CSV table of all heavy atoms in Angstrom, one decimal:
chain,number,residue,atom,x,y,z
A,1,CYS,N,0.8,-0.1,9.6
A,1,CYS,CA,-0.7,0.1,9.6
A,1,CYS,C,-1.3,-1.3,9.2
A,1,CYS,O,-0.9,-1.9,8.3
A,1,CYS,CB,-1.0,1.1,8.5
A,1,CYS,SG,-2.8,1.1,8.1
A,2,GLY,N,-2.2,-1.8,10.0
A,2,GLY,CA,-2.8,-3.0,9.7
A,2,GLY,C,-3.5,-3.2,8.5
A,2,GLY,O,-3.5,-4.3,7.8
A,3,SER,N,-4.4,-2.1,8.1
A,3,SER,CA,-5.1,-2.2,6.7
A,3,SER,C,-4.0,-2.4,5.5
A,3,SER,O,-4.2,-3.1,4.6
A,3,SER,CB,-5.9,-1.0,6.5
A,3,SER,OG,-5.2,0.1,6.5
A,4,ARG,N,-3.0,-1.6,5.6
A,4,ARG,CA,-2.0,-1.7,4.5
A,4,ARG,C,-1.3,-3.2,4.5
A,4,ARG,O,-1.1,-3.7,3.4
A,4,ARG,CB,-0.8,-0.8,4.8
A,4,ARG,CG,0.4,-0.9,3.7
A,4,ARG,CD,1.6,-0.2,4.1
A,4,ARG,NE,2.6,-0.6,3.1
A,4,ARG,CZ,3.4,0.4,2.5
A,4,ARG,NH1,3.1,1.7,2.7
A,4,ARG,NH2,4.2,0.1,1.7
A,5,GLN,N,-1.2,-3.8,5.7
A,5,GLN,CA,-0.6,-5.1,5.7
A,5,GLN,C,-1.6,-6.1,5.1
A,5,GLN,O,-1.1,-7.0,4.4
A,5,GLN,CB,-0.3,-5.5,7.2
A,5,GLN,CG,0.2,-6.8,7.3
A,5,GLN,CD,0.6,-7.2,8.7
A,5,GLN,OE1,0.3,-6.4,9.7
A,5,GLN,NE2,1.2,-8.3,9.0
A,6,LEU,N,-2.8,-5.9,5.3
A,6,LEU,CA,-3.9,-6.8,4.7
A,6,LEU,C,-3.8,-6.7,3.4
A,6,LEU,O,-3.8,-7.8,2.5
A,6,LEU,CB,-5.3,-6.3,5.1
A,6,LEU,CG,-5.9,-6.9,6.6
A,6,LEU,CD1,-7.1,-6.3,6.8
A,6,LEU,CD2,-5.9,-8.4,6.5
A,7,LEU,N,-3.6,-5.5,2.7
A,7,LEU,CA,-3.5,-5.4,1.3
A,7,LEU,C,-2.2,-5.9,0.7
A,7,LEU,O,-2.4,-6.7,-0.3
A,7,LEU,CB,-3.6,-3.9,0.9
A,7,LEU,CG,-3.7,-3.7,-0.6
A,7,LEU,CD1,-5.0,-4.0,-1.2
A,7,LEU,CD2,-3.5,-2.1,-0.7
A,8,GLU,N,-1.2,-5.7,1.3
A,8,GLU,CA,0.0,-6.3,0.8
A,8,GLU,C,0.1,-7.9,0.8
A,8,GLU,O,0.6,-8.6,-0.2
A,8,GLU,CB,1.2,-5.7,1.6
A,8,GLU,CG,1.6,-4.2,1.3
A,8,GLU,CD,2.8,-3.9,2.1
A,8,GLU,OE1,3.1,-4.3,3.2
A,8,GLU,OE2,3.6,-3.0,1.5
A,9,VAL,N,-0.4,-8.4,1.9
A,9,VAL,CA,-0.6,-9.8,1.9
A,9,VAL,C,-1.5,-10.4,0.9
A,9,VAL,O,-1.1,-11.4,0.4
A,9,VAL,CB,-1.0,-10.2,3.4
A,9,VAL,CG1,-1.4,-11.7,3.4
A,9,VAL,CG2,0.0,-10.0,4.4
A,10,ALA,N,-2.5,-9.8,0.6
A,10,ALA,CA,-3.5,-10.2,-0.4
A,10,ALA,C,-2.7,-10.2,-1.7
A,10,ALA,O,-2.9,-11.2,-2.6
A,10,ALA,CB,-4.7,-9.3,-0.6
A,11,PHE,N,-2.0,-9.2,-2.1
A,11,PHE,CA,-1.2,-9.2,-3.3
A,11,PHE,C,-0.2,-10.3,-3.3
A,11,PHE,O,0.1,-11.2,-4.3
A,11,PHE,CB,-0.4,-7.9,-3.6
A,11,PHE,CG,-1.3,-6.8,-4.2
A,11,PHE,CD1,-1.9,-5.8,-3.5
A,11,PHE,CD2,-1.6,-6.9,-5.5
A,11,PHE,CE1,-2.7,-4.9,-4.1
A,11,PHE,CE2,-2.4,-6.0,-6.1
A,11,PHE,CZ,-2.9,-4.9,-5.4
A,12,LEU,N,0.6,-10.6,-2.2
A,12,LEU,CA,1.5,-11.6,-2.1
A,12,LEU,C,1.0,-13.0,-2.3
A,12,LEU,O,1.7,-13.8,-3.0
A,12,LEU,CB,2.3,-11.4,-0.8
A,12,LEU,CG,3.5,-12.4,-0.4
A,12,LEU,CD1,4.6,-12.2,-1.4
A,12,LEU,CD2,4.0,-12.2,1.0
A,13,GLN,N,-0.1,-13.4,-1.6
A,13,GLN,CA,-0.7,-14.6,-1.8
A,13,GLN,C,-1.1,-14.8,-3.2
A,13,GLN,O,-1.2,-16.1,-3.6
A,13,GLN,CB,-1.9,-14.6,-0.8
A,13,GLN,CG,-1.5,-14.6,0.7
A,13,GLN,CD,-2.8,-14.6,1.7
A,13,GLN,OE1,-3.8,-14.2,1.2
A,13,GLN,NE2,-2.6,-15.2,2.9
A,14,ARG,N,-1.6,-13.9,-3.9
A,14,ARG,CA,-1.9,-14.1,-5.3
A,14,ARG,C,-0.7,-14.0,-6.4
A,14,ARG,O,-1.0,-14.1,-7.5
A,14,ARG,CB,-3.0,-13.1,-5.8
A,14,ARG,CG,-4.4,-13.2,-5.0
A,14,ARG,CD,-5.2,-12.0,-5.1
A,14,ARG,NE,-6.6,-12.3,-4.5
A,14,ARG,CZ,-6.9,-12.2,-3.3
A,14,ARG,NH1,-5.9,-11.9,-2.3
A,14,ARG,NH2,-8.2,-12.4,-2.8
A,15,GLY,N,0.4,-13.8,-5.9
A,15,GLY,CA,1.5,-13.6,-6.7
A,15,GLY,C,1.5,-12.4,-7.8
A,15,GLY,O,1.9,-12.5,-8.8
A,16,LEU,N,0.9,-11.3,-7.2
A,16,LEU,CA,0.6,-10.1,-8.0
A,16,LEU,C,1.5,-9.0,-7.5
A,16,LEU,O,1.9,-8.8,-6.3
A,16,LEU,CB,-0.8,-9.7,-7.9
A,16,LEU,CG,-1.9,-10.7,-8.5
A,16,LEU,CD1,-3.2,-10.1,-8.2
A,16,LEU,CD2,-1.6,-10.9,-9.9
A,17,PRO,N,1.9,-8.2,-8.3
A,17,PRO,CA,2.9,-7.0,-8.0
A,17,PRO,C,2.1,-5.9,-7.3
A,17,PRO,O,0.8,-5.8,-7.5
A,17,PRO,CB,3.2,-6.4,-9.4
A,17,PRO,CG,2.2,-6.8,-10.4
A,17,PRO,CD,1.7,-8.1,-9.9
A,18,PHE,N,2.7,-5.3,-6.4
A,18,PHE,CA,2.1,-4.3,-5.5
A,18,PHE,C,3.0,-3.0,-5.6
A,18,PHE,O,4.3,-3.1,-5.4
A,18,PHE,CB,2.1,-4.8,-4.1
A,18,PHE,CG,1.7,-3.6,-3.1
A,18,PHE,CD1,0.5,-3.3,-3.0
A,18,PHE,CD2,2.7,-3.0,-2.3
A,18,PHE,CE1,0.0,-2.1,-2.0
A,18,PHE,CE2,2.3,-2.1,-1.4
A,18,PHE,CZ,1.0,-1.6,-1.3
A,19,VAL,N,2.5,-1.9,-6.0
A,19,VAL,CA,3.3,-0.7,-6.3
A,19,VAL,C,2.7,0.4,-5.3
A,19,VAL,O,1.5,0.8,-5.4
A,19,VAL,CB,3.1,-0.2,-7.7
A,19,VAL,CG1,3.9,0.9,-7.9
A,19,VAL,CG2,3.7,-1.3,-8.7
A,20,SER,N,3.5,1.0,-4.4
A,20,SER,CA,3.1,1.9,-3.5
A,20,SER,C,3.7,3.3,-4.1
A,20,SER,O,4.9,3.6,-4.4
A,20,SER,CB,3.8,1.7,-2.1
A,20,SER,OG,3.6,3.0,-1.4
A,21,ALA,N,2.7,4.2,-4.5
A,21,ALA,CA,3.2,5.5,-5.2
A,21,ALA,C,3.6,6.5,-4.0
A,21,ALA,O,4.6,7.1,-4.2
A,21,ALA,CB,2.0,6.1,-6.0
A,22,VAL,N,2.9,6.5,-3.1
A,22,VAL,CA,3.1,7.6,-1.9
A,22,VAL,C,2.7,6.8,-0.5
A,22,VAL,O,1.7,6.2,-0.5
A,22,VAL,CB,2.3,8.9,-2.1
A,22,VAL,CG1,2.6,9.7,-0.9
A,22,VAL,CG2,2.5,9.5,-3.3
A,23,GLU,N,3.5,6.9,0.4
A,23,GLU,CA,3.2,6.7,1.7
A,23,GLU,C,3.1,8.0,2.6
A,23,GLU,O,4.0,8.8,2.5
A,23,GLU,CB,4.4,5.8,2.4
A,23,GLU,CG,4.6,4.5,1.8
A,23,GLU,CD,5.7,3.6,2.5
A,23,GLU,OE1,6.3,4.3,3.4
A,23,GLU,OE2,5.9,2.6,2.1
A,24,ALA,N,1.9,8.0,3.2
A,24,ALA,CA,1.5,9.3,3.9
A,24,ALA,C,0.6,9.0,5.0
A,24,ALA,O,-0.2,8.2,5.0
A,24,ALA,CB,0.9,10.4,3.0
A,25,GLU,N,0.8,9.8,6.1
A,25,GLU,CA,0.1,9.7,7.3
A,25,GLU,C,-1.0,10.7,7.2
A,25,GLU,O,-0.7,11.9,6.8
A,25,GLU,CB,0.8,9.9,8.6
A,25,GLU,CG,1.8,8.8,8.8
A,25,GLU,CD,2.4,8.8,10.4
A,25,GLU,OE1,2.0,9.8,11.1
A,25,GLU,OE2,3.1,7.9,10.7
A,26,GLY,N,-2.3,10.3,7.6
A,26,GLY,CA,-3.4,11.3,7.6
A,26,GLY,C,-4.3,11.0,6.4
A,26,GLY,O,-3.8,11.1,5.3
A,27,TYR,N,-5.5,10.6,6.7
A,27,TYR,CA,-6.5,10.3,5.6
A,27,TYR,C,-6.8,11.4,4.7
A,27,TYR,O,-7.1,11.2,3.4
A,27,TYR,CB,-7.7,9.6,6.1
A,27,TYR,CG,-7.4,8.1,6.5
A,27,TYR,CD1,-7.3,7.9,8.0
A,27,TYR,CD2,-7.3,7.2,5.7
A,27,TYR,CE1,-7.0,6.6,8.3
A,27,TYR,CE2,-7.0,5.9,6.0
A,27,TYR,CZ,-6.9,5.5,7.4
A,27,TYR,OH,-6.5,4.2,7.8
A,28,GLU,N,-6.9,12.7,5.2
A,28,GLU,CA,-7.3,13.7,4.4
A,28,GLU,C,-6.2,14.0,3.3
A,28,GLU,O,-6.5,14.3,2.2
A,28,GLU,CB,-7.5,15.0,5.2
A,28,GLU,CG,-8.8,14.9,6.1
A,28,GLU,CD,-10.0,14.4,5.2
A,28,GLU,OE1,-10.4,14.9,4.1
A,28,GLU,OE2,-10.7,13.4,5.8
A,29,LEU,N,-4.9,13.8,3.8
A,29,LEU,CA,-3.9,14.0,2.8
A,29,LEU,C,-3.9,12.9,1.7
A,29,LEU,O,-3.9,13.2,0.5
A,29,LEU,CB,-2.5,14.0,3.6
A,29,LEU,CG,-1.3,13.9,2.7
A,29,LEU,CD1,-1.2,15.1,1.6
A,29,LEU,CD2,0.0,13.9,3.6
A,30,GLN,N,-4.2,11.7,2.2
A,30,GLN,CA,-4.2,10.6,1.3
A,30,GLN,C,-5.3,10.8,0.3
A,30,GLN,O,-5.3,10.6,-0.9
A,30,GLN,CB,-4.4,9.2,2.1
A,30,GLN,CG,-3.3,8.7,2.8
A,30,GLN,CD,-3.6,7.6,3.6
A,30,GLN,OE1,-4.4,6.8,3.3
A,30,GLN,NE2,-2.8,7.4,4.8
A,31,PHE,N,-6.6,11.1,0.7
A,31,PHE,CA,-7.6,11.3,0.0
A,31,PHE,C,-7.3,12.5,-1.1
A,31,PHE,O,-7.8,12.3,-2.3
A,31,PHE,CB,-9.0,11.7,0.8
A,31,PHE,CG,-9.4,10.5,1.5
A,31,PHE,CD1,-10.3,10.8,2.5
A,31,PHE,CD2,-9.1,9.3,1.1
A,31,PHE,CE1,-10.9,9.6,3.4
A,31,PHE,CE2,-9.6,8.1,1.9
A,31,PHE,CZ,-10.5,8.3,2.9
A,32,SER,N,-6.7,13.5,-0.7
A,32,SER,CA,-6.4,14.6,-1.7
A,32,SER,C,-5.6,14.1,-2.8
A,32,SER,O,-5.7,14.4,-4.0
A,32,SER,CB,-5.8,15.8,-0.9
A,32,SER,OG,-4.4,15.4,-0.4
A,33,LEU,N,-4.5,13.2,-2.5
A,33,LEU,CA,-3.7,12.6,-3.4
A,33,LEU,C,-4.5,11.7,-4.4
A,33,LEU,O,-4.2,11.6,-5.6
A,33,LEU,CB,-2.5,11.9,-2.8
A,33,LEU,CG,-1.5,12.9,-2.0
A,33,LEU,CD1,-0.4,12.1,-1.2
A,33,LEU,CD2,-0.8,13.9,-2.9
């Protein structure tokens, strides 16, 4: 996913930790979580 990649790159460039709690397809599922 391009948007996820943008976010991960932003954390990497700033030297900050990135934690993914859940990977899920479908925005309604994501929004419910």
Side-chain angles (χ1 to χ4, degrees):
C1 169
S3 59
R4 176 194 173 123
Q5 183 179 0
L6 276 174
L7 185 66
E8 288 186 324
V9 168
F11 276 107
L12 180 63
Q13 289 176 339
R14 292 166 172 80
L16 298 171
F18 169 78
V19 179
S20 174
V22 177
E23 294 184 0
E25 290 192 358
Y27 283 104
E28 293 311 311
L29 173 57
Q30 291 176 26
F31 287 163
S32 68
L33 298 173

